[in-house]
């Protein structure tokens, strides 16, 4: 046994327990002094994810993708065990770690607030001891995923699982007061904060999710047909912004269905054109974070995102836009036609000064590549969430809401502009919204607290400096960022022979 002391001994411990504390022990507390010269290795976390997606037959149509049994292919293998009738109930129980929501006084508990919204809007708290405790609890009891350990901190994430997003929407709808759950989220973010550079985008995703839920008054899930209820772009905008803004109200009654098509004089034989956005169907229950910048989207990828019920949140280095939603202008019970894809892209600004008109003309959506390789700029709508510009009216409309049709003018170097790829820049609808008051989904909320949460200096500035986004991402995700070459002086020496 004496020779054993000179060789390290390895133990492989496999466990299916969700108790992260026991998996990642602290080196400050040791059971034996013989471990003084030994180093604890970070655990290797393994969970098969989306194992049934690759190689499966895709739905025959977008309507077929709305069935609940299609959602069992996504995420953990766990969902394949249950029947359709019990699947949603099991998902709610797993997400809440019990049958009902918990309240602390008249507020939704922090654990359940984090569990419900993190599944849908990519909620990530700032690094702290208190926020780490919430994340550990979410991994142990509320279906959040642990992805690794970095710098002594457990890294967690919430991957795209449509059944859990649907369970979160169902549980939120069953609360006695939906506004209570939303206000609890605002209080949670105000208490633990997220990176100030990411906070405006977080609230944009929240607004879009609330509008999606409100547009389906009977809930996202139809128990009779066991399928999701999609919504139209027109219904989404009607729930997003309250009525009373003439430009938007008029546009929602307009019969121009596409900016590509000229406004024709109706004849007796021509069918009436549908109101704006009434023929565009969207189906998103949650957001997913993309891993890289996007300029061109593959049409097949757009089809799969629509089937998954996912909207896209771009990386923080993405130019021009912050995210987008896949839409489809066509009948859902017919085979998928890539030429009928539609994009709703959004850009978020959370500064007290409004976005200059010279900048908002550059907002547009990415290009789409068809199966045969053709690049096109699809029909699209651009949403500008100018959250910090409270009570600042547009000159053209005289209100805080602006609606127009225009082709984008490049304001930066980005491959998503049509001109960069030799394609014609298609005009699209632009809807700019300043401040928080126009949003109907934020009624009865504490807007002053929400605005104070968006505008002030964040606590990460003092810790990470004036550019916290990259350092925050490096700390919470454990991924190195691209180096920033600032104040760099390079000297060249020339030797002439």
């Amino acid at each position: 046994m004496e020779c054993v002391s000179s060789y390290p001994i390895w133990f492989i411990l496999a466990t299916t327990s969700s108790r992260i504390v026991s998996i990642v022990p602290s080196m400050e507390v040791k059971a034996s002094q013989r471990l003084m010269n030994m180093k604890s290795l970070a655990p290797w976390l393994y969970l098969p994810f989306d194992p049934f997606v690759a190689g499966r037959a895709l739905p025959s149509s977008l309507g077929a993708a709305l069935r609940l049994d299609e959602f069992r292919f996504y995420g953990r293998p766990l969902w394949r065990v249950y029947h359709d009738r019990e699947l949603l109930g099991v998902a709610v129980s797993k997400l809440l770690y019990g049958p009902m929501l918990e309240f602390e006084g008249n507020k939704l508990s922090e654990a359940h607030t984090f569990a419900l919204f993190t599944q849908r809007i990519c909620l990530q708290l700032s690094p702290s001891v208190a926020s780490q405790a919430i994340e550990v609890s979410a991994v142990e009891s509320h279906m959040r995923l642990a992805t690794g350990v970095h710098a002594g901190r457990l890294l967690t994430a919430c991957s795209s699982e449509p059944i859990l997003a649907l369970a979160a929407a169902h549980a939120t709808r069953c609360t006695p007061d939906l506004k209570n759950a939303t206000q609890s989220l605002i209080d949670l973010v105000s208490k633990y904060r997220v990176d100030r550079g990411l906070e405006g985008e977080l609230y944009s995703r929240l607004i879009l999710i609330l509008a999606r839920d409100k547009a389906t008054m009977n809930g996202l899930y139809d128990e009779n047909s066991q399928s999701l209820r999609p919504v139209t772009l027109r219904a989404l905008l009607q729930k997003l912004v309250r009525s009373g803004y003439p430009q938007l109200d008029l546009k929602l009654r307009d019969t121009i269905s596409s900016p590509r098509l000229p406004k024709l004089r109706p004849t007796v034989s021509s069918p009436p054109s549908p109101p704006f956005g009434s023929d565009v169907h969207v189906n998103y229950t949650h957001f997913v974070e993309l891993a890289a910048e996007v300029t061109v989207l593959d049409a097949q990828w757009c089809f799969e995102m629509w089937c998954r019920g996912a909207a896209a949140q771009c990386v923080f280095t993405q130019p021009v836009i912050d995210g987008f939603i896949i839409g489809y202008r066509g009948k859902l019970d017919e085979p998928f036609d890539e030429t009928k894809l539609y994009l709703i892209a959004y850009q978020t600004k959370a500064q007290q000064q409004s976005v200059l008109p010279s900048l908002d003309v550059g907002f547009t959506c990415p290009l789409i590549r068809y199966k045969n390789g053709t690049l096109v700029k699809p029909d699209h709508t651009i949403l500008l969430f100018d959250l910090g510009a409270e009570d600042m009216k547009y000159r053209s409309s005289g209100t805080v809401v602006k609606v127009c049709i225009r082709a984008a003018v490049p304001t930066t170097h980005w491959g998503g502009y049509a001109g960069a790829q030799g394609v014609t820049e298609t005009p699209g609808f632009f809807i700019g919204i300043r401040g928080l008051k126009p949003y109907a989904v934020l009624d009865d909320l504490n807007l002053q607290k929400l605005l104070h949460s968006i505008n002030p200096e964040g606590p990460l500035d003092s810790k990470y400096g004036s550019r916290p986004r990259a350092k925050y991402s490096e700390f919470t995700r454990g991924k190195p960022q691209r180096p920033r070459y600032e104040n760099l002086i390079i000297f060249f020496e020339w030797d002439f022979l």
Side-chain angles (χ1 to χ4, degrees):
M1 293 294 295
E2 293 181 359
C3 64
V4 177
S5 61
S6 60
Y7 295 95
I9 300 178
W10 293 82
F11 294 93
I12 299 178
L13 304 177
T15 178
T16 58
S17 173
S18 62
R19 298 292 297 176
I20 301 301
V21 176
S22 61
I23 298 177
V24 190
S26 173
M27 286 303 296
E28 297 178 359
V29 180
K30 306 178 181 64
S32 173
Q33 292 299 319
R34 289 176 293 180
L35 298 179
M36 289 296 295
N37 297 324
M38 301 180 68
K39 183 179 180 181
S40 176
L41 298 177
W44 181 61
L45 304 171
Y46 173 74
L47 177 69
F49 207 79
D50 284 352
F52 303 109
V53 173
R56 78 180 183 99
L58 294 175
S60 58
S61 64
L62 294 179
L66 298 173
R67 294 196 301 263
L68 186 63
D69 58 351
E70 289 289 334
F71 281 15
R72 295 189 298 174
F73 289 99
Y74 303 106
R76 302 162 223 241
L78 168 70
W79 312 122
R80 297 278 291 176
V81 177
Y82 299 98
H83 297 290
D84 292 346
R85 291 292 181 184
E86 59 182 346
L87 181 57
L88 184 58
V90 170
V92 171
S93 298
K94 291 282 187 180
L95 181 63
L96 301 181
Y97 195 60
M100 300 178 62
L101 290 170
E102 296 178 356
F103 290 84
E104 299 170 352
N106 60 347
K107 293 175 54 179
L108 189 64
S109 67
E110 291 184 348
H112 278 178
T113 300
F114 187 70
L116 291 179
F117 287 100
T118 193
Q119 292 290 342
R120 307 193 68 191
I121 62 174
C122 305
L123 177 59
Q124 191 85 18
L125 302 178
S126 62
S128 67
V129 176
S131 63
Q132 176 78 128
I134 293 180
E135 293 185 46
V136 169
S137 175
V139 171
E140 294 177 350
S141 305
H142 303 292
M143 305 299 283
R144 192 171 175 86
L145 300 180
T147 59
V149 178
H150 176 70
R153 178 181 175 85
L154 181 70
L155 304 179
T156 68
C158 196
S159 298
S160 172
E161 280 190 276
I163 186 59
L164 286 180
L166 181 59
H170 182 75
T172 304
R173 182 174 176 270
C174 293
T175 56
D177 185 5
L178 177 60
K179 299 296 189 300
N180 184 294
T182 308
Q183 188 64 53
S184 298
L185 172 66
I186 297 174
D187 295 340
L188 181 73
V189 174
S190 300
K191 180 178 180 180
Y192 296 102
R193 300 305 302 268
V194 299
D195 176 17
R196 189 163 59 92
L198 302 175
E199 200 157 344
E201 299 170 11
L202 172 68
Y203 285 121
S204 294
R205 297 193 296 270
L206 173 63
I207 290 171
L208 289 170
I209 284 292
L210 293 177
R212 164 68 166 103
D213 293 352
K214 199 170 183 179
T216 49
M217 296 300 296
N218 296 324
L220 270 67
Y221 179 63
D222 185 357
E223 295 184 0
N224 295 326
S225 62
Q226 297 185 22
S227 61
L228 262 68
R229 295 185 175 99
V231 297
T232 63
L233 174 60
R234 182 171 182 266
L236 183 69
L237 293 176
Q238 286 177 328
K239 298 301 181 181
L240 180 72
V241 182
R242 62 170 51 91
S243 60
Y245 297 98
Q247 279 200 340
L248 185 58
D249 293 343
L250 180 63
K251 183 54 60 182
L252 292 177
R253 294 193 298 267
D254 202 340
T255 57
I256 301 177
S257 59
S258 171
R260 294 184 181 184
L261 303 177
K263 193 170 185 179
L264 302 177
R265 180 176 299 176
T267 62
V268 177
S269 59
S270 61
S273 299
F276 165 70
S278 62
D279 59 341
V280 178
H281 301 276
V282 296
N283 171 45
Y284 65 97
T285 59
H286 63 290
F287 282 82
V288 296
E289 293 180 294
L290 302 182
E293 296 179 8
V294 294
T295 57
V296 179
L297 305 176
D298 185 75
Q300 185 64 29
W301 180 85
C302 294
F303 171 69
E304 294 173 2
M305 284 284 286
W306 199 99
C307 294
R308 195 180 191 109
Q313 169 64 41
C314 298
V315 296
F316 59 80
T317 56
Q318 172 73 39
V320 180
I321 60 173
D322 288 330
F324 54 90
I325 301 168
I326 308 295
Y328 185 74
R329 173 177 277 144
K331 295 182 179 180
L332 300 182
D333 56 352
E334 295 180 354
F336 170 68
D337 183 355
E338 60 186 8
T339 63
K340 296 180 180 180
L341 285 170
Y342 192 101
L343 291 181
I344 302 102
Y346 65 90
Q347 171 64 266
T348 305
K349 298 296 181 183
Q351 301 174 358
Q352 294 182 355
Q353 298 297 325
S354 60
V355 178
L356 297 176
S358 59
L359 295 179
D360 65 30
V361 296
F363 299 146
T364 185
C365 70
L367 298 166
I368 289 182
R369 178 182 287 110
Y370 292 159
K371 189 175 182 180
N372 61 4
T374 303
L375 287 178
V376 298
K377 177 59 68 77
D379 288 343
H380 59 278
T381 294
I382 304 298
L383 299 175
L384 172 59
F385 297 102
D386 206 349
L387 301 178
E390 195 71 22
D391 297 327
M392 297 184 183
K393 298 180 180 180
Y394 286 97
R395 290 184 179 180
S396 59
S397 65
T399 67
V400 293
V401 176
K402 172 185 175 182
V403 181
C404 64
I405 300 176
R406 52 105 177 110
V409 178
T411 56
T412 186
H413 295 288
W414 182 47
Y417 286 118
Q421 306 290 343
V423 181
T424 303
E425 191 71 56
T426 301
F429 293 101
F430 172 83
I431 302 175
I433 308 169
R434 290 179 175 175
L436 300 174
K437 295 178 182 178
Y439 299 105
V441 294
L442 299 182
D443 285 344
D444 301 329
L445 294 179
N446 189 340
L447 295 185
Q448 289 297 327
K449 188 170 186 177
L450 177 56
L451 187 63
H452 180 72
S453 176
I454 293 174
N455 278 332
E457 293 293 320
L460 295 181
D461 289 354
S462 59
K463 185 173 183 179
Y464 295 114
S466 60
R467 292 194 176 185
R469 300 186 78 180
K471 296 180 181 180
Y472 169 81
S473 180
E474 179 181 355
F475 189 85
T476 56
R477 299 178 185 277
K479 298 179 181 179
Q481 303 297 312
R482 292 184 298 179
R484 298 179 180 272
Y485 300 100
E486 299 175 351
N487 301 325
L488 180 63
I489 301 177
I490 303 178
F491 294 92
F492 295 91
E493 293 185 1
W494 299 85
D495 290 331
F496 295 91
L497 299 178

